[in-house]
Amino acid sequence: MYNRLKKLALKIVPKKFLLKNEHTFRSIYGFAYRGSKHNCAICDKGLNRFISLPDGDDLCPFCGSRSRTRHLYDYLIKNDLVKGDVLHFSPSRSLYRVFKKMRHISYITSDFEDEFIAEFKYDITQIPREVNSFDLIICYHILEHIPGDQKAMQELSRVLKQDGSCLIQTPFKDGDIYEDPTITTPEEKLKAFGQEDHVRIYSVEGLKTRLLKNGFSEVQEVAVRKDALQGFSESTFLIAKK
């Protein structure tokens, strides 16, 4: 039902109007999901259930957050990492709305493909910022799209402050990193990497090793256990430091 309504709305309503009034539309649609069985970690709404997506993920009807976004927010808040100067690549709208209201941080957002709400259009392989600019960098589901990912890692390290944290997540698989520059068409990429615009699939250990070779001195793996109450599925991300 949710996906059918979303496709219909995108066909008949201008995208800019939808984005501007998203909160209102979600509040109306989400009324049927109100309850006390679950709780969204981001918008703090009580729910009787999350929206089940075709890929098996759980979506909050009120803020539109996926489980991986709720993982991220929950971890950032509990570990007091949202402070100082923050750089967020291709932010989800749910996190953008929350972080933009925080007056104690300088929140800078970037999206190179104009698919997300962002103030800047930074090339992640050539970030136009000074050395040691950011206390926190959020780089979720970005690197698997970047052909020159090692250059991007060097840039993330360069602009991260000495005591800062860079949170990174990509799709993961077992074994080694799989990439093949001869795979170029969307159809080939979908078959090989799982999505039409991906250029590789990382393994956790492979990504750790590559980060350590490209400017970072410490990489910690964080595995989040499933939490049905807040709509969390199993998830893994990395925290890289200089």
Side-chain angles (χ1 to χ4, degrees):
M1 174 66 76
Y2 173 79
N3 284 303
R4 291 198 297 270
L5 287 174
K6 182 178 179 180
K7 289 179 181 179
L8 178 62
L10 289 171
K11 285 182 180 180
I12 64 177
V13 181
K15 187 175 181 180
K16 287 186 177 180
F17 182 82
L18 281 176
L19 291 177
K20 184 177 180 180
N21 296 280
E22 180 183 9
H23 182 73
T24 300
F25 292 138
R26 287 195 178 280
S27 295
I28 296 171
Y29 182 80
F31 185 81
Y33 289 83
R34 294 180 64 179
S36 58
K37 187 176 180 180
H38 304 278
N39 188 74
C40 175
I42 296 179
C43 66
D44 200 32
K45 289 288 194 301
L47 308 169
N48 58 45
R49 68 193 186 281
F50 287 91
I51 296 171
S52 296
L53 297 178
D55 62 5
D57 205 357
D58 291 322
L59 188 84
C60 174
F62 288 98
C63 68
S65 63
R66 282 178 169 261
S67 61
R68 73 189 188 203
T69 311
R70 295 189 291 275
H71 287 154
L72 171 63
Y73 181 76
D74 185 67
Y75 186 86
L76 289 172
I77 297 303
K78 286 182 177 177
N79 290 277
D80 193 30
L81 292 177
V82 186
K83 54 189 174 184
D85 298 293
V86 179
L87 173 60
H88 195 170
F89 288 96
S90 301
S92 68
R93 293 193 296 278
S94 57
L95 287 187
Y96 179 91
R97 288 191 291 264
V98 172
F99 290 153
K100 204 63 181 176
K101 293 178 181 178
M102 293 185 177
R103 300 304 177 191
H104 69 287
I105 65 171
S106 172
Y107 183 57
I108 294 175
T109 57
S110 171
D111 181 54
F112 196 67
E113 298 293 340
D114 291 328
E115 295 180 355
F116 296 81
I117 301 174
E119 290 84 8
F120 297 97
K121 192 175 180 179
Y122 292 163
D123 178 350
I124 196 172
T125 65
Q126 293 180 311
I127 303 172
R129 303 287 296 196
E130 298 296 324
V131 174
N132 301 324
S133 290
F134 297 102
D135 298 278
L136 173 66
I137 300 176
I138 303 171
C139 185
Y140 257 43
H141 291 265
I142 305 296
L143 293 178
E144 67 269 24
H145 297 265
I146 310 298
D149 67 326
Q150 297 192 63
K151 177 59 177 173
M153 294 173 190
Q154 292 166 17
E155 281 291 275
L156 291 172
S157 173
R158 183 183 67 82
V159 300
L160 184 68
K161 292 182 182 180
Q162 196 62 44
D163 57 349
S165 298
C166 181
L167 275 70
I168 299 169
Q169 189 182 65
T170 74
F172 292 119
K173 71 175 190 68
D174 294 330
D176 298 324
I177 296 174
Y178 175 53
E179 54 191 343
D180 184 345
T182 67
I183 297 174
T184 57
T185 69
E187 295 78 15
E188 291 173 329
K189 290 178 179 179
L190 175 62
K191 183 177 180 180
F193 310 125
Q195 193 165 308
E196 293 91 338
D197 56 351
H198 287 186
V199 296
R200 72 182 58 79
I201 303 179
Y202 293 98
S203 64
V204 172
E205 290 303 319
L207 182 52
K208 279 185 185 179
T209 299
R210 193 165 285 190
L211 288 165
L212 290 170
K213 288 181 178 178
N214 288 280
F216 294 97
S217 62
E218 177 188 344
V219 181
Q220 174 190 359
E221 177 185 348
V222 176
V224 182
R225 296 180 180 179
K226 187 170 183 176
D227 183 337
L229 178 64
Q230 293 185 314
F232 290 179
S233 58
E234 300 280 343
S235 181
T236 298
F237 61 89
L238 303 180
I239 302 176
K241 295 179 176 291
K242 292 172 72 169

